[in-house]
Amino acid sequence: MLLIGVILFIFPFIYMILTSFLQGAYTLPRPHEVLSAKPSLDNYKEVWNNHNFARYFMNSMLVAGVAMFGSLFIGSLSAYAFARFEFPFKELLFRIFLFTLMIPLVLAIVPQFTVINSLGLVNTYLGLWLIYIGGGVVGTTFFLRGFFETIPKDLEESIIIDGGGNWRIYWNIYLPLSKPALGTMAIFAFSGTWDEYFVALSIIKEESLRTLPIGLMMFQGQYASNWSLVFAASLIAILPVIILYIIFQKKFVQGGQTDGALKG
């Protein structure tokens, strides 16, 4: 049953790849036409070189990369504070964090644009990063707090004895032991930012600053009848997410990271 399910889910993806090798597929090709397709990168070369996709791709890499590292770094600091420090209204603030996760992104676009516009950051990546990192910090904090709380506090004693402070504890203990959780959040943060369309469309106005989702939507509107080009462009858009998943798949959350760290 699992094998049948895998075939059903993977067939559309294989169909996309094979169709992207065809030339001038102005209608969705039939199975025998797809299976007879010869591997050719002509459609990929045309999309990449003649439709500004190289520029959109690099823009998205910059935006998604900075947003991913920013949300992971600030979110891990926030999670460390919630997991190890005691301060007034700690649980209330954490619940407010969780409440913001329930607000649909579409409802927040207008107030976000108003704030970014008042700061003079419309049509800049800085304005886009503020929204992406601000939104990513909440989910990262929620996810990592629970993971940090599983790390024994006794591991901190060696650093405290050597005169180290909270920063050293965070950097030398919590981050190395949290690589599985950080790898998982890296996939979510990157893919969520890489595929984001509405916020980028509302903030970015110049064509030279467009991200790949915007360029892909414009391309699909222009070449909606040429499925070979559309599928080639779509596969270029999802390739970084697939590569990132392959790199971090072994870092998915797993137990036993602190086993043996303390003597019984």
Side-chain angles (χ1 to χ4, degrees), residues 19-59:
T19 303
S20 67
F21 294 148
L22 297 175
Q23 295 296 321
Y26 293 101
T27 59
L28 287 175
R30 297 178 179 179
H32 70 275
E33 296 174 339
V34 171
L35 295 175
S36 62
K38 297 181 179 179
S40 173
L41 298 179
D42 292 342
N43 291 324
Y44 294 92
K45 292 178 181 178
E46 180 176 351
V47 170
W48 185 263
N49 296 324
N50 300 333
H51 298 281
N52 216 19
F53 262 65
R55 181 61 179 268
Y56 299 153
F57 188 91
M58 297 308 299
N59 291 346

Side-chain angles (χ1 to χ4, degrees), residues 87-203:
F87 49 88
F89 308 110
K90 171 183 172 179
E91 294 303 324
L92 176 61
L93 289 174
F94 189 71
R95 286 179 172 82
I96 293 175
F97 263 50
L98 297 184
F99 175 75
T100 60
L101 291 174
M102 304 176 188
I103 301 176
L105 178 63
V106 177
L107 296 181
I109 287 181
V110 173
Q112 286 175 346
F113 180 83
T114 302
V115 172
I116 296 302
N117 187 44
S118 65
L119 295 174
L121 297 178
V122 173
N123 202 37
T124 65
Y125 288 153
L126 181 57
L128 208 55
W129 285 328
L130 287 176
I131 297 176
Y132 287 160
I133 295 176
V137 163
V138 178
T140 304
T141 300
F142 169 70
F143 185 80
L144 292 180
R145 181 191 181 183
F147 195 87
F148 285 170
E149 288 176 343
T150 64
I151 298 177
K153 290 186 178 181
D154 295 340
L155 292 175
E156 305 173 10
E157 293 180 357
S158 59
I159 292 182
I160 295 176
I161 292 174
D162 293 336
N166 288 314
W167 173 259
R168 186 61 60 187
I169 293 172
Y170 160 81
W171 190 261
N172 285 53
I173 293 180
Y174 281 82
L175 287 189
L177 292 178
S178 302
K179 287 180 179 179
L182 291 173
T184 302
M185 289 308 302
I187 295 175
F188 292 151
F190 185 88
S191 61
T193 306
W194 180 268
D195 295 333
E196 203 285 319
Y197 172 75
F198 291 105
V199 174
L201 183 64
S202 63
I203 299 297

Side-chain angles (χ1 to χ4, degrees), residues 183-263:
T184 302
M185 289 308 302
I187 295 175
F188 292 151
F190 185 88
S191 61
T193 306
W194 180 268
D195 295 333
E196 203 285 319
Y197 172 75
F198 291 105
V199 174
L201 183 64
S202 63
I203 299 297
I204 301 300
K205 306 301 180 183
E206 292 184 14
E207 181 181 359
S208 60
L209 298 178
R210 286 176 180 172
T211 57
L212 195 56
I214 300 176
L216 182 60
M217 291 299 296
M218 300 294 182
F219 182 83
Q220 288 178 345
Q222 184 177 1
Y223 294 92
S225 59
N226 193 337
W227 290 103
S228 54
L229 288 179
V230 170
F231 285 164
S234 300
L235 289 169
I236 290 175
I238 66 175
L239 184 61
V241 178
I242 296 175
I243 295 175
L244 189 72
Y245 175 78
I246 294 174
I247 293 174
F248 285 105
Q249 63 173 331
K250 294 183 179 179
K251 295 297 183 181
F252 272 122
V253 173
Q254 47 189 277
Q257 295 297 309
T258 58
D259 291 352
L262 299 174
K263 293 183 178 180

